[in-house]
Amino acid sequence: MKTADTANGQTINSLSSTADTRRQYWLSVMAKASADRVKALYDSLPEHPTWTTIRPAETGMVMVRGRVGGDGNRFNMGEMTMTRGAVRLANGVAGLGYVQGRSRRQAELTAVLDAMLQSPETNALISTRIIEPLAREQRDARDIRARKAAATKVEFFTMVRGEG
Amino acid sequence: MYVAVKGGDAAIENSQSLLAEERRGDTAVDELDLEQIKQQLSLAVDRVMTEGSLYDEDLAALAIKQARGDIVEAIFLLRAYRTTLPRFGASEPIDTGDMAVRRRISATFKDVPGGQILGPSFDYTHRLLDFTLAANGEPPAPTPVAEAPVDEAMPRVTELLNQEGLIEQESADDDQEVFDLTRESMKFPADREARLQNLARGDEGFLLALGYSTQRGWGRNHPFAGEIRMGEVAVEFTPEELGFPIEIAEITVTECQMVNQFKGSSEVPPQFTRGYGLTFGHCERKAMSMALVDRALRAEELGESIEAPAQDQEFVLAHACNVEASGFVQHLKLPHYVDFQSELVTVRALRKAIRESAANQEDPGMPPAAE
């Protein structure tokens, strides 16, 4: 899966994308965003839905795995914090939030937004107002990091000694 | 006989209060906030996350502040905290081949595809103290930004050697259960996956010294830094309700591929062997040390004689954890009054017996025992 590289605003609306792929994409974008950005963008929405909590947001850990030599058998590298939550909107649609770190508010809002994205009446609004800006910020951050790194790439040159 | 000793409550309370005051230091000086630690002591944060075995920059920064900068104490705090959290599951294995590279160097191939990317490195500094930092100098000049980013996919150096069959290949068996030392205790001989988990959270100083010992001849394995890369990778996790993986995080990791002495047999033509290191954050010295020790611990599997400490699984793996080591060394500070009393009695009795037997033999050379 390479959603961060390949997916963008167009992929969300692409007809060829399955519902799962689209959901995978927006959940990933919100999981990797900072809690502050998700809260700020959510607060900027013109209207806020009402919801009931299916599962209160809860912080725990995921064991991060690596591979021996990068490509061999799996091994347990160490854990990371993650927070998850689940909600149901008044329209009956359920949403899930799985986010990096320990922000319960981010997990809850991600679940609310996941449900709104699954609801045809709010999908376009949330895509435009929340997912696209977050994805753009993530792409830009990645691009600037990669270009600063590129400036440290070694350009070798060979010194010619002697004659002929 | 066990004699409980009580007392010292007030002294302990006051000691903790004094500790808190010393941690804060002069109140005329601004208090450190966690964001400053995260941003400006980021390599300390990375080490605490790696050996604390929990990727959370905020918690690591808090641990460093609370521990007054004592990194091993901070690691202990983070390890203790992680025991309070539930485990939601395990991620898909991270793909370091798909890393958004910020540093990538090879000491074996000059013209490695994707290039040598120095990134942020101490390697080319002169290690001279920079007094402009002491003067709270102006922010550094903006760093150059290239027109084009680094390549998105950079082949691993081990893959380049693989193409000619010059290096041993790893094979992945994803049906195999993954050993977890946080759930089960290490058993010897331990398989490589278990060893790597142990080394990943092992003390950097200990692994550095062991890695160094192999270079000095105590289990020599002729290493080359085939590749070191640092950057961001996605962490994928499959929530049970969804049934498909989502990226739940982007984390920074450092990976080291050591390319080591070759060996061949009647069946296999000579090829290079490998050692592997992987850490959270940017912990390059740790990743390199881990790769050296990983390779040294493969001695038996590769038919090498086990002669040096770094090749001895039990010696290395049973002593790599600084939380355990620090706990056992420091427990010596706890009251051992009764143990010691009994030893005193024994020593006095022994000396008395020797004195008496000497007197019986009328040996005037025996000095009087001091008691």
Side-chain angles (χ1 to χ4, degrees):
Chain A
M1 190 173 97
K2 285 187 72 175
T3 49
D5 298 337
T6 52
N8 54 35
Q10 279 131 24
T11 339
I12 299 183
N13 301 316
S14 147
L15 293 171
S16 63
S17 300
T18 66
D20 281 356
T21 314
R22 295 165 61 205
R23 197 167 172 208
Q24 193 176 40
Y25 171 67
W26 69 57
L27 282 173
S28 298
V29 168
M30 290 189 284
K32 293 187 286 185
S34 76
D36 288 346
R37 283 301 288 151
V38 173
K39 284 184 242 175
L41 288 172
Y42 178 82
D43 289 342
S44 75
L45 290 176
E47 291 176 63
H48 297 103
T50 54
W51 69 81
T52 52
T53 302
I54 299 175
R55 185 168 62 201
E58 164 192 34
T59 297
M61 300 178 295
V62 168
M63 176 56 88
V64 179
R65 286 183 171 158
R67 285 188 182 281
V68 177
D71 52 4
N73 279 340
R74 300 169 299 171
F75 72 95
N76 289 316
M77 181 188 176
E79 285 150 320
M80 58 168 278
T81 51
M82 183 182 83
T83 303
R84 67 180 181 188
V87 302
R88 190 181 305 283
L89 296 184
N91 67 6
V93 177
L96 288 174
Y98 277 81
V99 302
Q100 177 175 17
R102 289 169 299 119
S103 171
R104 289 197 286 272
R105 184 70 177 155
Q106 184 185 1
E108 183 180 36
L109 292 181
T110 296
V112 170
L113 292 166
D114 174 44
M116 292 175 83
L117 284 156
Q118 292 176 74
S119 308
E121 64 277 16
T122 43
N123 172 277
L125 174 78
I126 305 302
S127 292
T128 317
R129 297 283 298 256
I130 301 203
I131 303 303
E132 284 172 25
L134 288 178
R136 199 179 315 116
E137 287 163 20
Q138 287 167 13
R139 269 199 311 278
D140 289 351
R142 188 180 168 114
D143 180 64
I144 196 80
R145 278 198 315 249
R147 286 165 58 209
K148 283 180 181 172
T152 70
K153 182 169 167 175
V154 180
E155 302 295 344
F156 288 104
F157 53 91
T158 308
M159 309 231 272
V160 180
R161 294 183 178 210
E163 292 179 24
Chain B
M1 186 179 68
Y2 180 79
V3 181
V5 179
K6 276 179 73 81
D9 288 2
I12 289 170
E13 210 169 290
N14 293 346
S15 164
Q16 290 179 348
S17 155
L18 183 57
L19 174 70
E21 184 180 280
E22 299 262 324
R23 180 190 61 65
R24 176 61 182 87
D26 185 348
T27 52
V29 177
D30 288 344
E31 184 168 353
L32 267 178
D33 69 39
L34 299 188
E35 202 57 34
Q36 288 173 326
I37 296 173
K38 237 169 83 177
Q39 297 292 328
Q40 298 176 41
L41 297 178
S42 57
L43 297 182
V45 168
D46 288 350
R47 181 171 173 198
V48 170
M49 293 195 304
T50 295
E51 294 173 37
S53 206
L54 185 64
Y55 197 105
D56 188 310
E57 292 168 328
D58 299 302
L59 291 176
L62 172 59
I64 290 166
K65 177 173 175 173
Q66 188 178 331
R68 305 171 61 194
D70 180 334
I71 296 300
V72 175
E73 181 73 17
I75 289 162
F76 191 174
L77 291 171
L78 203 59
R79 288 268 191 99
Y81 180 82
R82 72 159 282 287
T83 64
T84 67
L85 294 177
R87 167 89 66 85
F88 292 154
S91 79
E92 304 296 319
I94 56 171
D95 182 1
T96 52
D98 195 29
M99 180 187 290
V101 161
R102 283 194 286 140
R103 170 165 167 80
R104 190 277 202 121
I105 54 167
S106 170
T108 52
F109 292 104
K110 178 166 71 75
D111 296 312
V112 61
Q116 307 262 0
I117 316 285
L118 302 184
S121 175
F122 291 122
D123 289 354
Y124 307 94
T125 63
H126 293 111
R127 265 74 182 220
L128 298 173
L129 280 175
D130 178 359
F131 288 97
T132 59
L133 291 174
N136 272 335
E138 53 284 2
T143 187
V145 177
E147 282 293 310
V150 293
D151 291 359
E152 285 233 342
M154 289 189 203
R156 293 192 184 91
V157 163
T158 49
E159 280 160 27
L160 302 177
L161 284 164
N162 249 350
Q163 288 166 7
E164 286 182 75
L166 295 175
I167 193 163
E168 57 173 345
Q169 293 192 37
E170 297 294 343
S171 60
D173 174 8
D174 285 357
D175 295 328
Q176 196 181 303
E177 279 285 301
V178 184
F179 173 86
D180 185 355
L181 68 75
T182 70
R183 298 286 167 93
E184 38 194 320
S185 49
M186 291 293 288
K187 286 187 198 70
F188 301 105
D191 61 23
R192 193 164 172 210
E193 296 77 42
R195 301 197 305 253
L196 284 172
Q197 182 182 13
N198 178 295
L199 298 177
R201 63 198 333 238
D203 183 74
E204 176 175 317
F206 180 67
L207 298 184
L208 175 66
L210 284 173
Y212 180 42
S213 73
T214 67
Q215 291 179 286
R216 291 194 63 255
W218 296 72
R220 201 181 285 284
N221 55 36
H222 302 279
F224 293 93
E227 182 177 354
I228 293 161
R229 56 168 69 188
M230 181 276 291
E232 282 66 43
V233 294
V235 179
E236 289 180 23
F237 177 74
T238 304
E240 54 205 24
E241 305 94 323
L242 286 180
F244 54 81
I246 56 170
E247 289 180 358
I248 50 160
E250 188 177 63
I251 63 171
T252 305
V253 299
T254 304
E255 179 185 59
C256 173
Q257 303 270 5
M258 280 295 172
V259 175
N260 299 70
Q261 70 189 8
F262 52 86
K263 112 181 233 315
S265 65
S266 48
E267 293 91 47
V268 187
Q271 58 177 194
F272 292 106
T273 56
R274 298 162 65 169
Y276 189 63
L278 184 66
T279 73
F280 287 147
H282 190 184
C283 298
E284 198 160 300
R285 192 191 301 114
K286 163 72 186 269
M288 294 180 75
S289 305
M290 179 175 168
L292 287 173
V293 176
D294 171 48
R295 175 61 184 79
L297 290 175
R298 298 183 61 209
E300 187 171 6
E301 166 200 350
L302 295 168
E304 297 161 349
S305 57
I306 299 175
E307 293 160 346
Q311 297 169 315
D312 183 322
Q313 282 200 17
E314 198 161 350
F315 180 83
V316 173
L317 302 176
H319 300 121
C321 172
N322 57 26
V323 176
E324 283 171 15
S326 168
F328 202 54
V329 167
Q330 296 209 64
H331 104 283
L332 292 173
K333 292 182 290 191
L334 293 172
H336 284 70
Y337 305 140
V338 178
D339 289 354
F340 189 68
Q341 280 298 324
S342 75
E343 303 245 326
L344 262 183
V345 169
T346 310
V347 173
R348 282 180 181 139
L350 285 170
R351 292 173 66 101
K352 188 161 174 252
I354 291 170
R355 211 164 43 229
E356 284 166 5
S357 102
N360 289 344
Q361 289 168 25
E362 294 177 342
D363 181 354
M366 189 75 184
E371 281 190 49

